[in-house]
Amino acid sequence: MSYPSPLWQPGAGEPARISDAPRPPASAAPPRPRRSGLALWIVAALLLPVLGVLVVYFLRFLGPAASILGLVLAAVPFAVVWFAVRLIDRWEPEPRRLLLFAALWGAVASVAFALGVDLVLQLTVGGLGAPVSSVIQAPIVEEVGKGLGLLLLYAAARRSFDGPVDGIVYGALIGAGFAFTENIQYFAISFIEGGAVQVSTTFFLRAILSPFAHVMFTSLIGFAFGLAARRSLSTGAALRYGLVGLLGAIVLHGLWNGSAVLFDFFELYATLQVPLFVLFVLGILVLRREEARLTRARLGEYAAAGWFTPQEVDMLATGAGRRSALAWARTLPGDRTAAMKQFIVDATALAAARQRSLSGRDAQAPAEERRLLERTGAARATLLAR
């Protein structure tokens, strides 16, 4: 089998055979596949006490008024990033519980990790000084803390970590969570030190000019882990990819912090950060096109076996086809938009499951394929019912 892009490469596993027997119409949707990721739930529970400590820290050292103001202002760029990430993730949505875990890790665990390292350095060597701390210590410590969350997601939720787009989504939300907590502190301190004028300036710099800074840094690590996932690498082997992504994130983070400490911020922002952001957006668009082509290729294999028509593949694997399908579903008796959305979601998940089956990395993929075939059959029956 040949692939038009290295990002497609699934590995060398032996795929499960697709049965030629067409599916019978189903009257009710079969149950969804069983969720996995118990380790993530345990980690999330362990983070709750850490969250409590951070809340006490803000309330005690910054005061309730400044903390609440910081929280409200920090929610604005976080909401913008969340909306943007959901747009990126719209083609093959990741489980919401994993998206929430990524944001929680960034907002709590990675912040606590960075504060803990800073405290240790203060107690042992008295700190590294403002320039070194900002340009070297912070990028290394913060990106390592955020990268650990991606490593955990890769190890504990591999069935929902299928490629570069997934890695970017998880990395972006970890970065957004970290920036959210960091912004609370920055906005609160600005308000305490300079009132409305200073907090407005800080809000402009952090929420208007650079809401995607941490998102871009950590997305590089996620992209690297996504490439490892597409190649069906073990967690140990994927770590080598993650380290390359981590290095890139540290360099970008260091350049960003250095622009405020060592260089003219606005000059470097215009000449370096803006072009990097444009490249970041273009890269995501290219990856989304790869994801759509991958969906078409995998569903095409089912169409060849009689499970879908070629017209259905076009409908399910293109943005224009999906929009037309939803518009058609709205004209059906009772408005069957929900059934069409479920049909699209399940078919896209089926393509992802087929990709995992091709790689041989997921022993449950063949069973999931069968379940999803039943679900797509049930959704089709609902759409075509009179």
Side-chain angles (χ1 to χ4, degrees), residues 313-370:
V313 173
D314 288 338
M315 178 190 75
L316 294 165
T318 63
R322 290 180 173 190
R323 289 189 294 271
S324 297
L326 291 170
W328 172 70
R330 283 191 287 270
T331 67
L332 297 176
D335 186 355
R336 301 176 189 176
T337 304
M340 179 59 75
K341 287 182 177 179
Q342 193 61 56
F343 185 41
I344 293 171
V345 168
D346 288 338
T348 309
L350 175 64
R354 178 64 184 168
Q355 184 74 8
R356 295 196 301 275
S357 182
L358 280 169
S359 70
R361 70 176 172 87
D362 183 3
Q364 300 181 52
E368 186 174 357
E369 286 183 77
R370 288 192 293 273

Side-chain angles (χ1 to χ4, degrees), residues 1-138:
M1 185 179 296
S2 61
Y3 302 91
S5 164
L7 301 179
W8 278 43
Q9 297 290 350
E14 182 66 26
R17 181 179 179 275
I18 297 177
S19 171
D20 292 332
R23 68 278 172 258
S27 58
R32 293 179 179 272
R34 183 175 57 87
R35 293 178 176 180
S36 58
L38 177 61
L40 298 181
W41 286 103
I42 295 173
V43 172
L46 294 175
L47 290 179
L48 293 180
V50 182
L51 174 61
V53 172
L54 289 175
V55 171
V56 171
Y57 164 78
F58 284 125
L59 294 177
R60 180 172 179 179
F61 293 100
L62 301 178
S67 296
I68 292 174
L69 176 64
L71 176 68
V72 172
L73 294 178
V76 175
F78 180 83
V80 171
V81 173
W82 179 273
F83 178 74
V85 171
R86 294 296 285 166
L87 285 178
I88 297 170
D89 192 39
R90 186 171 54 180
W91 185 265
E92 193 254 316
E94 304 310 312
R96 289 195 177 183
R97 69 189 188 280
L98 298 183
L99 301 180
L100 292 173
F101 176 85
L104 179 67
W105 181 275
V108 178
S110 55
V111 171
F113 179 82
L115 290 175
V117 172
D118 186 64
L119 178 61
V120 170
L121 290 174
Q122 290 290 340
L123 294 176
T124 54
V125 297
L128 301 179
V132 174
S133 176
S134 177
V135 180
I136 298 177
Q137 176 194 326

Side-chain angles (χ1 to χ4, degrees), residues 122-164:
Q122 290 290 340
L123 294 176
T124 54
V125 297
L128 301 179
V132 174
S133 176
S134 177
V135 180
I136 298 177
Q137 176 194 326
I140 294 175
V141 174
E142 291 174 9
E143 296 310 322
V144 167
K146 291 183 285 183
L148 289 173
L150 282 163
L151 178 62
L152 184 58
L153 281 165
Y154 189 92
R158 287 286 300 282
R159 296 179 66 199
S160 299
F161 210 133
D162 291 313

